[in-house]
Amino acid sequence: MQPRTQRTGRTGRPPRLALEAILAAAQRILDQEGAENLSMRRLAKEMSSTPMALYHYVRDKDELLLLLLEEHAAKFPRPGLPTEPRARLLASAQVLHDILVGCPWIVEVVASDDLFAVSAMWIVENILDAAIGCGMTPEDAVYAYRVIWYYTAGELTVRFNRERRQAHLDRPPHRDQIADLDPEEFPNVTSLGGQWVELTTRDTHRRGLEAVVAGLLAQAS
């Protein structure tokens, strides 16, 4: 999708708003407030402008998000991937995680399954190709991609929401109150004692990803 043609006013006069400035302002809102708080009205306020002025450059919020997704995906380097199908499937799935982990707003946006960046579709293509190389049908390869995507998006969503919530808590998290549970009713949980918080917040993405891929390949065979 291409941005609308910019209108520059009088000949020789630079535009009051530039697309680069619009994208930079939108990025600040996404980083500081999250995707749910980005709107054309909020963006116009950030730029001391009006929503109508922004519409000369982008059609709507979706086009704005697409431009930002493309910008982020285009900056991510394409790593060398293994040739062996199973290893390439794991490596491609790991790249999918790595391109999202630094940008919580992207997970919010792409989790809708409506918007995507063409510049990042090489990851999807490699996941499908590797899955087919592992013996899956094209249809099963799409299923494998969906399972990997849902696992990745879900894991990151929980992590981002936990970090965002804890950053604003003025009390200990409720998960810290495991010690107050009745050990007769919850023997397994309470037996872990002070380990519970550390175990449930540990970064186990890679271990989980390996288990997901192993399960998918076992199911396919």
Side-chain angles (χ1 to χ4, degrees):
M1 184 181 295
Q2 298 296 321
R4 287 186 171 183
T5 301
Q6 301 177 13
R7 303 176 187 176
T8 59
R10 296 196 303 267
T11 302
R13 180 186 178 187
R16 180 165 174 263
L17 296 173
L19 182 58
E20 292 78 9
I22 291 173
L23 294 179
Q27 185 68 64
R28 287 196 300 273
I29 295 172
L30 289 168
D31 291 340
Q32 297 171 10
E33 303 175 26
E36 72 277 7
N37 290 311
L38 176 63
S39 67
M40 300 303 283
R41 184 178 298 277
R42 173 69 185 87
L43 181 58
K45 182 179 179 181
E46 178 76 9
M47 302 192 71
S48 300
S49 183
T50 66
M52 287 305 299
L54 300 181
Y55 290 132
H56 289 279
Y57 296 85
V58 290
R59 184 176 298 109
D60 51 26
K61 178 181 175 179
D62 281 352
E63 184 176 17
L64 176 65
L65 289 170
L66 281 172
L67 290 170
L68 289 165
L69 287 172
E70 285 291 341
E71 186 175 65
H72 179 76
K75 292 178 181 177
F76 198 88
R78 295 194 184 192
L81 297 174
T83 55
E84 194 277 319
R86 182 188 181 112
R88 183 151 51 93
L89 180 58
L90 271 170
S92 300
Q94 184 66 51
V95 170
L96 178 64
H97 170 273
D98 294 346
I99 202 173
L100 297 172
V101 71
C103 290
W105 68 268
I106 294 183
V107 179
E108 293 181 58
V109 171
V110 298
S112 66
D113 270 351
D114 179 43
L115 303 177
F116 67 92
V118 174
S119 297
M121 287 303 291
W122 63 270
I123 303 174
V124 180
E125 177 66 23
N126 273 282
I127 290 176
L128 296 180
D129 189 64
I132 292 170
C134 289
M136 295 185 188
T137 65
E139 293 77 12
D140 283 343
V142 173
Y143 165 73
Y145 160 70
R146 289 179 61 205
V147 171
I148 290 169
W149 161 235
Y150 293 157
Y151 165 68
T152 302
E155 195 267 348
L156 289 175
T157 297
V158 171
R159 182 194 303 185
F160 292 150
N161 286 342
R162 180 179 66 239
E163 292 173 353
R164 184 182 304 167
R165 180 175 175 81
Q166 290 183 354
H168 296 89
L169 280 180
D170 56 1
R171 55 163 177 76
H174 285 303
R175 67 167 61 239
D176 291 352
Q177 300 173 24
I178 293 295
D180 297 334
L181 294 176
D182 183 353
E184 291 189 4
E185 186 176 0
F186 306 101
N188 292 303
V189 174
T190 54
S191 68
L192 293 167
Q195 292 181 281
W196 181 259
V197 173
E198 191 275 329
L199 290 173
T200 56
T201 56
R202 181 185 296 175
D203 183 1
T204 57
H205 166 263
R206 180 66 186 197
R207 181 179 178 183
L209 178 60
E210 292 174 355
V212 167
V213 169
L216 288 167
L217 295 179
Q219 189 179 70
S221 62

